[in-house]
Amino acid sequence: MNRLNNEIDTQSEMTSMYDEFNIEVPENAFPRHGLSARAASALVASDEWTDTNPMLNMSSFVTTFAEPEAVETGRRNMFKNYIDHDMYPQLFAMERRMVRWLHELWNGPKDVEPYGAATIGSSEACMLAGLAHKWNWRRNREKSGKDASHPNMVTGGNVQIVWKKFLRYFDVEPRIVPLKPGNYRLTAEHLDQYVDENTIAVVAIAGQTFTGEDDDIQAIHDWLDAYEKKTGVSIPMHIDGASGGFVNPFLYPDYEWDFRLPRVQSINASGHKFGLTPPGLGWVVFRERKVFNEELIFYVNYLGGEMPTATLNFSRNAAPVAVQYYQFLRLGFDGYKRVMTHTLANAVALREALVQSGYFRIMNETQRIPVVAVTLDPRITRFNEFDVSNKVREKGWVLSAYSMPADAEEVRSLRVVVRPHINHNVAMNLARDIIAACRYLEEHGGTATAPKLHAQPHKLSPAKC
Ligand SMILES: *Cc1c(COP(=O)(O)O)cnc(C)c1O
């Protein structure tokens, strides 16, 4: 075996790819000598062989399919640094245009200046929105001579990990309303115990990662209206529409989850989820420019003319921005509506097949995005959700099983994100394989006879997305 650290004569006529590629990759030292492009590429590919085929990753929300023209658009842009607006003013113009389109899609008021940004993903978008609300809250508190040292934010226990990061990284007290078995979304029910004058915002989710449901956005909004009447304290809402932002407008045009609700001051969405671009692209859009505190904007002239910057990242790949623009033009409202309609229909067909098998019960009665979350019928004791997940892995499917967040940890769930490339045929193949796995496990037993797991390593898996 050749070692990458040993010289091999790659010029020799006798050296083939078999020799070059059969090397031991150093774990802890930088490779000493290079390889031919073919060998390097084959070596990288061989490391990838046992990784999941992204098409079969049913746990992920992230886009894995695009038309060749979208891929070509991405390729053309992959060596452009998006932040260099002086060099690529037209890319910047596309981003500005898309922010205005999203502001309109999400029913922003017409008589204002929309503001927003393309980000690396929803995580960066959420952080920017959280910062804007923290700054606005502090400014208001200071203006009225009140203490501004104890900001808090209210969310449900179903939030994606980004919000816990935001709260810790930016020193905002978490006020997380726990879930309970049977209710996995934030409602207005216990807000009185969590909201106060130091609440910078209430975050409600449109299309949560665990069950695909929306938080009770309207009820939360109404509760905050009543709270303001009672106390004079006005608290804004942020909608985490990482998934729902590209589903609700097309499937549920009459459903008011967005800027139609006056308290909704900011919305984020992931372009790389149902926005149908490859990773990484997110969006944050504010109700109007003044919500994004001017103090958060820097003006720099490193790259030529003076340019505003207000994202957490500076350099970023331009390709996802260009691909998003391609997708918006290519599909238009009608196209997204058709794609989301068939995707939801496939999710419903998959869910029905699973429920009809008798093994499963659905968890997400109020589901809006195409996510199927099921739990095994409580009468099934010979195997559990983790066994099903492991068994279907034999067929190549990656399906996450996990325990729900506090206080519903005893509930285990199996979740499938039905993405647009999962056509009806594939959804039915998956249903068949899941049901066959259950039959096998019923006969042979799984690990469920072992003590009930509160399997720590699985706990956060859905939040990875
Ligand atoms: C995926 C997701 C995020 C994080 O988004 P990224 O685009 O992965 O950074 C945040 N919130 C929700 C509800 C999500 O589904």
Side-chain angles (χ1 to χ4, degrees):
M1 188 187 302
N2 298 309
R3 290 175 177 270
L4 206 50
N5 288 343
N6 296 340
E7 234 162 324
I8 60 165
D9 182 7
T10 52
Q11 304 304 315
S12 155
E13 296 252 317
M14 295 310 294
T15 308
S16 73
M17 272 264 294
Y18 294 102
D19 303 306
E20 255 201 286
F21 153 78
N22 185 38
I23 59 164
E24 196 177 300
V25 175
E27 283 299 331
N28 304 312
F30 196 85
R32 289 287 180 277
H33 305 289
L35 300 166
S36 71
R38 261 205 311 175
S41 161
L43 191 60
V44 175
S46 69
D47 265 344
E48 294 168 29
W49 284 341
T50 50
D51 276 353
T52 298
N53 170 353
M55 290 294 187
L56 296 179
N57 183 359
M58 300 293 129
S59 306
S60 174
F61 284 87
V62 172
T63 301
T64 54
F65 170 82
E67 292 173 318
E69 290 79 0
V71 175
E72 182 48 39
T73 303
R75 204 191 302 279
R76 238 182 8 251
N77 285 279
M78 79 186 239
F79 289 106
K80 294 180 193 166
N81 184 0
Y82 179 68
I83 199 71
D84 202 346
H85 300 322
D86 279 323
M87 295 301 121
Y88 314 116
Q90 291 307 324
L91 269 169
F92 186 46
M94 289 178 207
E95 184 216 32
R96 299 290 89 199
R97 207 170 289 144
M98 287 191 280
V99 164
R100 293 193 296 272
W101 290 352
L102 290 172
H103 185 265
E104 192 255 354
L105 183 70
W106 296 334
N107 296 292
K110 299 222 180 331
D111 51 348
V112 300
E113 185 190 349
Y115 185 80
T119 56
I120 301 286
S122 273
S123 300
E124 187 187 6
C126 294
M127 304 250 183
L128 287 170
L131 285 169
H133 294 302
K134 185 176 174 185
W135 254 248
N136 292 341
W137 167 84
R138 187 162 55 204
R139 187 199 50 209
N140 290 338
R141 298 282 296 175
E142 283 167 353
K143 247 190 356 217
S144 46
K146 294 192 174 128
D147 173 67
S149 58
H150 291 96
N152 70 62
M153 179 183 259
V154 175
T155 76
N158 53 350
V159 279
Q160 209 264 0
I161 199 71
V162 60
W163 290 106
K164 296 183 183 167
K165 289 187 186 171
F166 167 76
L167 295 164
R168 189 174 302 171
Y169 299 171
F170 294 104
D171 236 341
V172 175
E173 182 197 331
R175 298 259 176 106
I176 300 178
V177 183
L179 308 182
K180 59 180 188 229
N183 175 31
Y184 309 111
R185 48 189 214 135
L186 182 66
T187 64
E189 202 185 339
H190 300 296
L191 288 181
D192 53 335
Q193 295 160 40
Y194 293 87
V195 168
D196 62 24
E197 59 181 0
N198 291 320
T199 302
I200 65 170
V202 176
V203 173
I205 312 170
Q208 59 149 304
T209 48
F210 296 99
T211 62
E213 295 170 293
D214 282 18
D215 286 337
D216 199 348
I217 295 171
Q218 181 76 55
I220 296 165
H221 190 272
D222 295 349
W223 189 93
L224 289 170
D225 277 354
Y227 182 78
E228 180 173 0
K229 270 217 185 88
K230 207 165 56 193
T231 62
V233 178
S234 177
I235 296 170
M237 287 176 75
H238 172 85
I239 304 296
D240 181 350
S243 293
F246 285 112
V247 175
N248 288 345
F250 307 112
L251 290 184
Y252 318 107
D254 297 329
Y255 163 48
E256 300 195 348
W257 63 280
D258 54 10
F259 292 125
R260 278 169 286 187
L261 301 176
R263 227 164 258 286
V264 174
Q265 297 291 312
S266 50
I267 299 176
N268 70 277
S270 292
H272 55 220
K273 292 181 178 173
F274 293 103
L276 307 181
T277 67
L281 185 71
W283 292 102
V284 60
V285 176
F286 295 91
R287 179 179 199 82
E288 58 180 307
R289 184 173 177 112
K290 67 171 197 249
V291 181
F292 194 72
N293 200 297
E294 192 62 31
E295 283 173 35
L296 294 166
I297 303 176
F298 288 82
Y299 294 87
V300 297
N301 60 3
Y302 307 143
L303 301 174
E306 183 156 275
M307 149 189 114
T309 172
T311 46
L312 298 180
N313 239 85
F314 193 63
S315 299
R316 65 156 297 161
N317 198 318
V321 179
V323 174
Q324 182 80 91
Y325 191 62
Y326 168 91
Q327 291 289 38
F328 286 174
L329 292 174
R330 165 80 176 116
L331 294 169
F333 187 95
D334 290 352
Y336 272 95
K337 185 174 169 179
R338 278 196 305 277
V339 171
M340 297 310 151
T341 302
H342 83 234
T343 306
L344 186 70
N346 293 337
V348 170
L350 173 65
R351 188 175 73 183
E352 277 171 6
L354 295 181
V355 170
Q356 271 167 19
S357 75
Y359 288 113
F360 295 103
R361 297 190 171 177
I362 58 172
M363 295 182 67
N364 47 355
E365 296 283 356
T366 65
Q367 162 200 345
R368 288 185 180 272
I369 59 172
V371 164
V372 177
V374 291
T375 184
L376 281 170
D377 187 299
R379 287 168 302 189
I380 292 171
T381 51
R382 276 175 65 72
F383 61 98
N384 64 27
E385 291 79 357
F386 294 102
D387 295 322
V388 179
S389 165
N390 290 335
K391 188 70 191 160
V392 295
R393 185 84 199 236
E394 292 171 7
K395 296 274 187 184
W397 306 109
V398 179
L399 227 56
S400 49
Y402 51 89
S403 22
M404 294 295 288
D407 289 336
E409 297 99 327
E410 76 261 34
V411 180
R412 282 182 303 234
S413 160
L414 204 58
R415 187 193 67 179
V416 178
V417 181
V418 179
R419 287 172 291 152
H421 73 281
I422 308 290
N423 60 26
H424 185 76
N425 193 39
V426 175
M428 292 302 97
N429 287 343
L430 174 61
R432 259 194 307 278
D433 285 342
I434 293 174
I435 295 163
C438 292
R439 291 212 181 98
Y440 177 92
L441 289 163
E442 198 170 30
E443 195 175 325
H444 299 276
T447 56
T449 40
K452 287 242 178 212
L453 338 137
H454 278 299
Q456 209 58 24
H458 294 283
K459 226 169 173 175
L460 281 176
S461 57
K464 279 191 298 202
C465 298

